[in-house]
Amino acid sequence: MRIHHDWKGLSPEARGATVAMGNFDGVHLGHRSVIDAARAAADAPLGVITFEPHPRQVFVPDAPAFRLMNAESRANRLARLGVEHLYQLPFDALLAGLTPEDFVREVLAEGLGVRHVTVGADFCFGRKRSGNAQTLTQLGHDFGFGVTVAPLIGDGRNEYSSTAIREALAEGRMRDAERMLGHWHRIDGEVLHGDKRGRDLGYPTANMAVNGLHLPRLGIYAVLIDVLTGPERGSYAGVASLGVRPMFDGQVPNLETHIFDFRGDLYGEHVSVALVEYLRPEMKFDSLDALIAQMDRDSAQAREILAAR
């Protein structure tokens, strides 16, 4: 998948796609229906138009972290779905200030040269969200490309939504989140150097930052790990701690993942960690021996869960 960070100056082979357009936070089943509709709409390369940072981060910068995915995780998921071109447009004052007609003319028609655009029924765009799916349909006709409006979908009771997924994750209901996402909730990023306490305890971990993300319930998880770069690239099983490490008086949440039966070096590599099942909350133990004994139990439980899936 090729990632483009602007709509201007693109090469001819990067233009003329049929695209799905939206924020696609989480890339849940509702988002996938929009992407599948784009895939079926025209005989052209499949693209996705999205925005970085998320518009809500620009308009409400002091709001609590809400994103289900960072840009890297979203791109990885879209690549798995067969997207050929990701147009990750910079959401800034220039883009936010375009009227719906200016956005369609400058970005979609002149910049990207789109063949067809698919959006969800609740899609809004342009200055002060003044355009909607019906506006886009008319403007597409005026500027020479087709538009498909994909209906909102759900499970028969509720529409699939990022809000419902955030609620499930906050409560540690990972399988409910997976049912709405269509995939395990993942945290992707670079493996960072930590304080290496896990190695001293016999449980070396791959440490990742989680800043800017809506965090699932803090605690211990059974996880599946994809190492995306480097000589150890591959898929593994493990157990992870998401939280502030109360045993060591931590303050900033992070994700620490222990990969079962792994001896490689992952510093600086990029990994994707799928949170499969919540095991227990974070705890502060009376001693390191008590902590290690609990980590042994966590690992055994995680192995059993992952072996049975």
Side-chain angles (χ1 to χ4, degrees), residues 18-96:
T18 176
V19 298
M21 183 162 58
N23 290 311
F24 299 111
D25 185 27
V27 195
H28 57 61
L29 289 175
H31 298 146
R32 285 177 58 176
S33 74
V34 178
I35 295 168
D36 288 342
R39 195 193 313 271
D43 184 16
L46 176 62
V48 162
I49 297 173
T50 190
F51 308 94
E52 190 63 33
H54 192 294
R56 183 172 160 185
Q57 291 175 262
V58 174
F59 293 130
V60 195
D62 297 325
F66 67 93
R67 290 185 65 158
L68 294 170
M69 285 180 162
N70 59 25
E72 178 179 349
S73 186
R74 180 177 59 193
N76 289 338
R77 175 52 52 182
L78 292 172
R80 291 171 188 247
L81 296 179
V83 173
E84 298 169 72
H85 293 276
L86 172 58
Y87 304 99
Q88 192 168 276
L89 304 184
F91 195 83
D92 53 17
L94 172 63
L95 193 62

Side-chain angles (χ1 to χ4, degrees), residues 205-225:
T205 58
N207 302 319
M208 298 164 60
V210 294
N211 48 295
L213 296 177
H214 170 83
L215 294 182
R217 185 180 180 186
L218 300 186
I220 311 302
Y221 288 84
V223 298
L224 297 171
I225 307 99

